[in-house]
Amino acid sequence: MGFQEIENLLKEEQWTRSTITNYTTQSFDELDKQISELDDEEKTEAKNLCDTHLTDKERNSIVAMYVSGSVQLERRGSEDYLLLLNLIELFAENKKWTLVDFLCQKILRKTENKHALRLLANSYAQNGKEEEKFSVWERLVKVDYDEIDIVKQIAAHAQQKGNTDKAISMYRKAVHRLIKRKDTSPIRTIFNTLLELDVENFEYFMGLADQVSSLSRSTAVALLRDLEAANKNNVDNQIEAQKKTLQYDREDIYAKENLIKSYKAKYKKHSRLSSCLESSALTSNMVRDVLHSIEDFETNIAFDKGTFVFQNSTGKMGRIRSIDETDVIVDFAGQKGKDGNRLSTAMAFKSLMPLAKSHIWVLKSALPKEKLSKKVLEDIPWTLTTLLTSNGGKSSLKDMKAELVPSILEAKQWTTWSNHAKKELMNNPVFDLSAQDVDTYILRSTPVSYEEKQLAVFRSEKQFYDKIKRLKEYLTSKGDVESDFFYEMVKYFSDMFLEENGAIKPMGEVTDYTFSAFLLLEDLVQKQNMNFINRVEGISFKELFERTDDIEATFNAIKDPELKKSFIDHVVSEIPGWSKVLSSLFPYYLTSYIPEIFRHNKKTAEFNKVYKDVVDNFKEKASTLIYLIKNSEEKQWNKAGVSSEQLLFTELQLLDYTNRCIDSRKDVQENRKNTKTLMTILFSEKKALTYIEEGTEETAQKIYSLVANVFDLPGGKKIEIKHAISEKYPEFRFFDEISPINRETLVPTGLFCTASALEAKKKEMEHIQHVELIEVAKEIGQARDMGDLRENSEYKYGKEKQAMLNNTLRRLSEEVDRATVITKDKVDPTRIGFGTKVVLFDNLNGESITYTIMGPWESNPNENIINMLAPFGRALLYHQVNERFVFKLNEQAYDFTVKSLEVIDL
């Protein structure tokens, strides 16, 4: 009914030549009702019908634009809003403001589209709704980061309404955007308005001048002049502004003269003011770099009666007793006598460093270590301020440690103190990061905003996932998400996908960074309800997934657990055959989350394959196996076809493997962790002993055979197992003791081979790894470039070939790990075993037959070279010359006598 009605409305509109004046909000409500009655397929048909109508019949058809635009908006395509925006402009031109409002709100219920916001604000302006207009404008500047004029209008409006904080925030936002645009011309006007509103925030204005100076030094000088004038009652601030001006322009006579006046005002009671000015050449006509003159003056003026000093050559602390134009008398710590140490003024200025009373060196010399240490430990903000002030207002943690340890703190106290100090440096607004050196912290005279500081921290992070961590910390600490500082953090991630104009960048290699950025942006928009953030329209998770060569390695590389969880959710909702994908990802996300998804979707039987797989491939998937052992009940293993006995034997084999890995320095931390867990399960929790107590003698034999061969197993554990077996089976014979051989239970372990066979296997592995896998990767890449992967047989064949080669490589690697090279001198010439040639007399057939006993790599049944691990080979082992023995295999009886035995060349 809905589709037919829409078709009739298009015809009716065309025949009757309906005008804009005929439309009301009720007209669109009726159209919405018709659209809602359509299913997805019918909506597509309706959209196609309307698009054709707009192209072939009536390009300004209101019905067609509305229906097609509504369907498109609902589906969030790459041009979601174009038709509806055109329709809004059409009504705006005809001053149909009610419809403009209606259609703008329709878009804005979906997303904060900047064009819809502008049109809505204009509608309010046309109807005299000033407060509503400003409200929409505030929403607009959150999504349009290039907008500046409206930001200034919002600021002026807030100022007029008496909302000073909001006005300051908006004026600062405007300045920040102007600097990003590299447009300095309007900044001075805003700068002066901010001075009227926030003159006390001197540090902000000095920093702003610094930012502007990189674009225009003349503008920066003008700003400093205004800042100097605004601080006429604060001589220290005036001096800083004047010195900064001279840094930008050393020939600025006006700034130099004003600086001299400020120095005279500040040091008017200083006994040596005139001589310091004269000796520095500030007041003379001598041609000298003004910055050098300033440095000399401030060094000299610091010397006065009572000033603490440090002597560089001796490392001694002292205090000036008296000073005149020729001599300085200093009392040094520990100095004997009452005359003091007399130095010429020139020598004093060169060899002594003046220190403030609060300098850390002064405190060290004046206070007992216990008292100062207590203060440092208890008052971290004071300590940080003291250290930074003592080092010219900036310092790194490395420098702080050198100052505190061991003179104030013990080395063991530093770690705890530094952890608290880092938090204070990150959160306290009077501490900031240096823009020039990310490892250096600075002390601000006025607090920096939390948002600005966190952006500096974000920029300082060198690692991708550390940046994600900082952004998330910003959100949890309730930083202002509407600030431009937050936008810059988000833009770092969106720039991976979007050009400056918002268009999608050409897609390159898909990595874990690509997925993480995509999932992070999606989380901000959907879960955090930040509709003002640019969505990555036109790119889907499924597309990224299909473009990834190694999805397991990519998933494993994602360092953020929440993003991994989001990745898993997308696989379930968007990827066909998701259960197979999740099974392969489980080793890289060892939590209950993936198993719960299988249970929730009634696919537990499919997840059971993971249990069997980790047992079969316990070396490659050790951590997964251990996780499942710790978190699964016995019945789950049984359902997967893994018996309790098989699991126990696998655990013992894995313990041997992890110990060998530790010994060969392979993934030591991970393997130590796994070894500790296995030792707990097998021995501390007495799993092995329980099986001996409850099982058969055959089970005990197998357990002991495995335990005895566990590499680097503490001797006490082996003795514990032997004792338990002996207690239950007093006649039990242990194969590693001198005793008759029980050939039915004694089974050789490991993989015996010759040196040449081992070398051949290694060369085969290298060829697969460095030749065949590289070639198949190229083939896959070429096949992927051919188009749709779902219908690409070359691509599927390449992936299958790649999987086959990886399986072969994995099998070879496991065998090489187990291999033990046997040389001729290691072969027992008295018994049948590896490396022996034996002549047997077949008592049933009355003839002799010769066999050579080797390992699985060298065996060749066609040439009577027998694999010692095969059932027939095992039946021959350990027998001696003239010994007769019988056995049965596959219902066939054998009766042999050993005639002769020799060791072959290996």
Side-chain angles (χ1 to χ4, degrees), residues 39-54:
D39 59 27
D40 285 343
E41 186 176 341
E42 289 171 331
K43 285 178 182 177
T44 299
E45 292 179 6
K47 184 181 184 310
N48 292 338
L49 174 68
C50 292
D51 290 342
T52 302
H53 187 81
L54 289 167

Side-chain angles (χ1 to χ4, degrees), residues 857-901:
W857 288 348
E858 299 89 348
S859 66
N860 184 348
N862 293 330
E863 296 180 7
N864 281 0
I865 301 175
I866 305 301
N867 177 4
M868 64 181 290
L869 298 180
F872 185 81
R874 289 167 63 177
L876 304 182
L877 294 179
Y878 307 116
H879 296 289
Q880 298 173 293
V881 175
N882 296 324
E883 182 180 355
R884 182 173 179 173
F885 60 98
V886 296
F887 59 93
K888 183 181 286 189
L889 284 176
N890 299 324
E891 303 303 322
Q892 181 175 344
Y894 295 89
D895 185 348
F896 292 126
T897 299
V898 181
K899 303 299 291 182
S900 65
L901 187 66

Side-chain angles (χ1 to χ4, degrees), residues 522-779:
E522 187 178 69
D523 176 79
L524 293 175
V525 173
Q526 294 186 354
K527 297 180 182 178
Q528 306 285 348
N529 296 317
M530 297 179 187
N531 291 323
F532 54 86
I533 290 176
N534 287 333
R535 289 180 63 100
V536 187
E537 303 287 1
I539 297 178
S540 68
F541 177 87
K542 186 177 181 182
E543 179 184 354
L544 296 178
F545 186 92
E546 290 175 346
R547 291 179 64 91
T548 306
D549 289 334
D550 190 337
I551 203 68
E552 293 175 26
T554 302
F555 177 77
N556 186 38
I558 297 174
K559 303 302 181 189
D560 185 286
E562 292 179 0
L563 293 180
K564 275 192 168 182
K565 187 175 180 182
S566 180
F567 187 105
I568 291 166
D569 291 340
H570 278 279
V571 168
V572 175
S573 61
E574 298 182 37
I575 306 302
W578 60 263
S579 58
K580 185 176 181 181
V581 177
L582 255 57
S583 295
S584 70
L585 298 183
F586 178 63
Y588 311 106
Y589 194 72
L590 293 175
T591 71
S592 61
Y593 193 64
I594 288 178
E596 284 298 330
I597 290 174
F598 278 89
R599 276 191 278 275
H600 179 74
N601 288 276
K602 296 182 172 32
K603 289 181 177 286
T604 305
E606 292 190 37
F607 187 73
N608 284 343
K609 297 174 185 177
V610 174
Y611 288 85
K612 189 72 170 63
D613 179 57
V614 295
V615 169
D616 292 341
N617 300 281
F618 66 88
K619 291 183 179 180
E620 296 84 355
K621 300 182 178 181
S623 295
T624 310
L625 172 61
I626 289 173
Y627 175 85
L628 290 174
I629 291 170
K630 291 169 61 179
N631 294 279
S632 302
E633 297 178 0
E634 185 177 335
K635 62 181 180 181
Q636 289 175 279
W637 290 98
N638 293 336
K639 286 180 181 178
V642 179
S643 68
S644 302
E645 184 177 278
Q646 182 184 3
L647 185 59
L648 173 67
F649 296 163
T650 303
E651 290 165 359
L652 287 166
Q653 290 175 291
L654 179 57
L655 179 60
D656 173 63
Y657 176 72
T658 57
N659 281 343
R660 293 183 186 277
C661 287
I662 294 168
D663 183 64
S664 61
R665 312 304 298 169
K666 178 182 178 182
D667 299 329
V668 174
Q669 185 175 358
E670 182 69 17
N671 280 302
R672 278 182 177 160
K673 177 183 173 184
N674 290 341
T675 292
K676 182 179 179 181
T677 303
L678 288 167
M679 289 294 291
T680 300
I681 294 170
L682 291 166
F683 299 105
S684 299
E685 296 177 1
K686 303 186 182 302
K687 183 174 183 179
L689 291 174
T690 301
Y691 268 84
I692 292 170
E693 292 169 4
E694 297 177 356
T696 64
E697 185 172 354
E698 182 182 3
T699 301
Q701 175 68 62
K702 291 177 181 178
I703 290 174
Y704 184 73
S705 178
L706 290 167
V707 168
N709 284 283
V710 172
F711 180 81
D712 205 23
L713 181 70
K717 301 302 178 187
K718 183 178 175 181
I719 294 171
E720 186 179 348
I721 295 296
K722 289 183 77 170
H723 177 73
I725 294 174
S726 298
E727 284 287 307
K728 186 170 184 182
Y729 307 106
E731 302 300 320
F732 190 91
R733 299 293 184 181
F734 296 96
F735 72 86
D736 51 354
E737 295 179 347
I738 299 175
S739 61
I741 296 173
N742 184 340
R743 297 186 182 93
E744 292 182 358
T745 57
L746 178 56
V747 179
T749 59
L751 193 156
F752 294 171
C753 66
T754 62
S756 59
L758 178 60
E759 187 61 28
K761 292 297 180 182
K762 287 182 176 179
K763 286 182 179 178
E764 184 180 353
M765 288 175 62
E766 288 178 3
H767 188 264
I768 293 174
Q769 192 166 8
H770 301 298
V771 178
E772 294 185 59
L773 279 173
I774 291 174
E775 289 176 354
V776 79
K778 290 179 182 177
E779 292 171 4

Side-chain angles (χ1 to χ4, degrees), residues 767-859:
H767 188 264
I768 293 174
Q769 192 166 8
H770 301 298
V771 178
E772 294 185 59
L773 279 173
I774 291 174
E775 289 176 354
V776 79
K778 290 179 182 177
E779 292 171 4
I780 291 170
Q782 292 168 356
R784 185 173 56 246
D785 293 337
M786 293 169 63
D788 188 355
L789 301 182
R790 291 170 295 183
E791 303 297 328
N792 192 327
S793 59
E794 289 83 359
Y795 177 83
K796 291 178 180 178
Y797 170 76
K799 295 295 285 185
E800 289 171 359
K801 185 177 178 182
Q802 186 182 56
M804 181 188 70
L805 287 171
N806 279 320
N807 287 335
T808 302
L809 186 63
R810 191 160 42 241
R811 176 180 56 76
L812 285 172
S813 177
E814 180 182 339
E815 290 178 357
V816 167
D817 283 344
R818 291 170 49 213
T820 300
V821 173
I822 303 298
T823 55
K824 188 174 182 179
D825 61 315
K826 294 181 180 178
V827 178
D828 183 356
T830 67
R831 298 176 185 277
I832 300 175
F834 181 93
T836 61
K837 180 182 284 189
V838 59
V839 178
L840 301 175
F841 183 81
D842 189 337
N843 297 304
L844 297 178
N845 296 328
E847 60 184 20
S848 294
I849 186 168
T850 301
Y851 292 112
T852 300
I853 311 301
M854 299 297 287
W857 288 348
E858 299 89 348
S859 66

Side-chain angles (χ1 to χ4, degrees), residues 53 113 181 199 218 242 275 333 348 365 385 618:
H53 187 81
N113 178 264
R181 189 193 284 181
V199 69
S218 59
Q242 290 152 359
S275 62
S365 66
T385 301
F618 66 88

